[in-house]
Amino acid sequence: MFLLVAIFNLALPKGGIMIYRFPLTWGYLLIAVVGAMASIAVIRKRNLQIAPIIQTFGLFLPLAVIVYYKAVHYNLPSVGWIPFAVIFGLFPILILIAIGPQLERIRAADMARAIRPMIRFAVAWGLMNFFLFILTREIIEIPYLTVNIGDVGEVLSKNNLRSGGLMKLVSTYNNGNIFGACMVMIMPLYLYFEHRKIWRALFIVAIILTLSRTAWFSMTAAFIMMALAGQIRLNRAGVWISAAAAVCVLLVLLPVMGWSSANLIDDRLGGRLTYLQDLKLSFFGADRINIPEVVYFGLLQSFGLFGLVISLCALGFGAGFGIMHWQQLSRLRQAAVVGVLAYLAAATMDGAMLYPPVFPIFLFLNALIYRRGYVPVADHSAGITPRSASRASGLVPAPLR
């Protein structure tokens, strides 16, 4: 089941159908099914931690309540509030509360075997279509798998074209900014799992070819945080060679797109600062809910100052928990913390929060932060807790107190 969730949320995240103007992806459907099954295990074993409960019921769920209140009070159309209720209400319960504890029954090596080929596929598919478009002005789409049936033939119209005859590398995510946000977010985890240098290099090149300044900025921020976390060793020549190669690729792309170095720093954030013209500060927010590219602006506009504080606490709770217990975390969990921080950096420009599979990946990384270690199913049946088994097996550092 974990493998299926990885396939349809990492390799084929947009595959699915349309139901009443709502895109239903196979990945989201699997999360619902697996979450429902995992809920039974949680009820039976009562294997819960305080931290994800606080993040879910104390922070995310109040946002869902606010969404529902606004929907009823202002008579909002379903398309205007249901997606927000799902990401703030349903997904945290399914992923953090139900699925999260089950991650302790999956070995890190098996996670790698599931995640690594999915990211490789997404990178390879994206590179293929990127260069195919340059040669033929066409891309390959597979309805129901690489693209939602309702979006067939629409990928090029989703703000994916750049000057110079280039298209953003969109892979199976159908949008360069969404692909960039997801890959940067999962980059610390993927580079932890991936040991082949060629795939590491192609992964970085794919992010650069998104032609997204948000992806470039957040990738740079992620690299800095990975270096501070010790995941990247700056005393290795390969690191500097890779960085120089990435800069060279960027320098080649800029003149092709007709950009100068000044275009790298857009003081209007690609036109997104126009949102500020409509901003009206209030305590509880506007009479509608809208979270555009700049996530923090959307949260302030939609939920007001009160809701913004709750939102920031909800989004940053997992990373804060990880930083507070940093020395006690395994390298896997540390990579998850950096991934969450990378997304929080991307959200300052374009967080693509509402679009599949951004928020489920974000919550999955949060769930990994809380994962205390691997415990075989037999040990669960015998009543051995994840905490004691992890410590005894030496798989993770001493337990959190």
Side-chain angles (χ1 to χ4, degrees):
M1 297 301 291
F2 181 83
L3 177 61
L4 284 174
V5 170
I7 290 173
F8 288 101
N9 284 283
L10 293 178
L12 303 169
K14 293 295 186 178
I17 57 177
M18 280 282 186
I19 298 181
Y20 298 108
R21 295 186 298 166
F22 288 103
L24 176 62
T25 69
W26 309 131
Y28 278 18
L29 185 60
L30 277 166
I31 289 174
V33 172
V34 174
M37 296 171 60
S39 298
I40 299 174
V42 169
I43 294 172
R44 290 179 58 193
K45 302 297 182 181
R46 299 179 183 177
N47 179 29
L48 293 172
Q49 296 185 68
I50 295 299
I53 291 176
I54 293 174
Q55 187 177 20
T56 299
F57 294 105
L59 297 172
F60 277 124
L61 209 57
L63 293 176
V65 171
I66 295 175
V67 168
Y68 181 74
Y69 169 79
K70 285 179 176 284
V72 173
H73 187 72
Y74 297 110
N75 195 27
L76 300 179
S78 58
V79 71
W81 68 273
I82 288 181
F84 298 98
V86 170
I87 67 170
F88 292 134
L90 183 60
F91 277 158
I93 294 174
L94 291 175
I95 297 175
L96 295 179
I97 301 299
I99 297 177
Q102 312 312 314
L103 296 178
E104 295 174 349
R105 302 172 69 169
I106 305 174
R107 295 181 302 173
D110 291 327
M111 288 187 190
R113 292 189 184 98
I115 293 174
R116 191 168 51 222
M118 300 309 116
I119 301 299
R120 288 179 179 179
F121 174 84
V123 167
W125 187 271
L127 291 171
M128 177 198 69
N129 264 342
F130 181 86
F131 291 106
L132 181 65
F133 181 81
I134 293 177
L135 296 175
T136 68
R137 317 308 295 173
E138 299 286 345
I139 62 173
I140 297 175
E141 296 178 341
I142 304 176
Y144 299 106
L145 288 179
T146 67
V147 62
N148 189 288
I149 188 61
D151 290 328
V152 174
E154 299 294 327
V155 172
L156 296 180
S157 65
K158 295 181 180 292
N159 195 29
N160 286 320
L161 293 177
R162 288 289 196 195
S163 57
L166 296 179
M167 180 189 76
K168 296 179 180 180
L169 189 146
V170 301
S171 187
T172 52
Y173 291 63
N174 298 171
N175 179 273
N177 289 9
I178 296 175
F179 178 77
C182 290
M183 291 302 102
V184 168
M185 182 167 31
I186 208 165
M187 181 172 70
L189 185 65
Y190 174 69
L191 295 184
Y192 173 71
F193 286 150
E194 182 61 77
H195 302 297
R196 297 189 63 178
K197 294 181 180 179
I198 182 63
W199 282 110
R200 287 185 166 204
L202 292 175
F203 179 82
I204 300 303
V205 169
I207 295 177
I208 295 174
L209 293 182
T210 59
L211 310 181
S212 165
R213 283 170 293 206
T214 300
W216 297 345
F217 161 76
S218 53
M219 181 176 66
T220 303
F223 271 125
I224 293 173
M225 289 186 286
M226 290 170 67
L228 293 175
Q231 190 174 353
I232 295 178
R233 298 181 182 179
L234 298 179
N235 59 352
R236 290 187 174 182
V239 173
W240 295 102
I241 294 174
S242 300
V247 171
C248 290
V249 172
L250 191 61
L251 292 177
V252 170
L253 288 173
L254 289 180
V256 173
M257 294 188 295
W259 284 10
S260 66
S261 58
N263 293 104
L264 290 176
I265 304 176
D266 185 353
D267 57 1
R268 297 187 60 81
L269 294 178
R272 297 183 181 98
L273 288 186
T274 56
Y275 297 133
L276 295 178
Q277 298 175 357
D278 301 324
L279 178 62
K280 296 180 180 179
L281 290 178
S282 64
F283 196 68
F284 292 109
D287 57 359
R288 61 188 178 91
I289 305 170
N290 181 35
I291 301 180
E293 295 97 328
V294 184
V295 170
Y296 304 121
F297 162 81
L299 294 171
L300 176 59
Q301 177 81 327
S302 300
F303 300 121
L305 295 171
F306 175 75
L308 177 65
V309 172
I310 298 177
S311 302
L312 293 179
C313 291
L315 295 173
F317 186 87
F321 176 89
I323 292 172
M324 289 176 59
H325 301 91
W326 185 262
Q327 296 301 325
Q328 298 167 283
L329 301 187
S330 64
R331 290 182 60 197
L332 174 66
R333 297 169 71 185
Q334 290 177 351
V337 172
V338 178
V340 169
L341 291 173
Y343 176 74
L344 296 180
T348 61
M349 298 177 67
D350 189 352
M353 176 182 283
L354 277 180
Y355 300 99
V358 176
F359 211 65
I361 293 178
F362 175 79
L363 292 175
F364 168 72
L365 292 174
N366 277 267
L368 274 184
I369 294 174
Y370 303 129
R371 179 182 179 272
R372 295 165 294 191
Y374 169 66
V375 181
V377 176
D379 290 344
H380 273 281
S381 301
I384 298 177
T385 64
R387 181 174 298 182
S388 60
S390 300
R391 188 174 188 180
S393 63
L395 290 173
V396 296
L400 302 181
R401 298 185 183 278

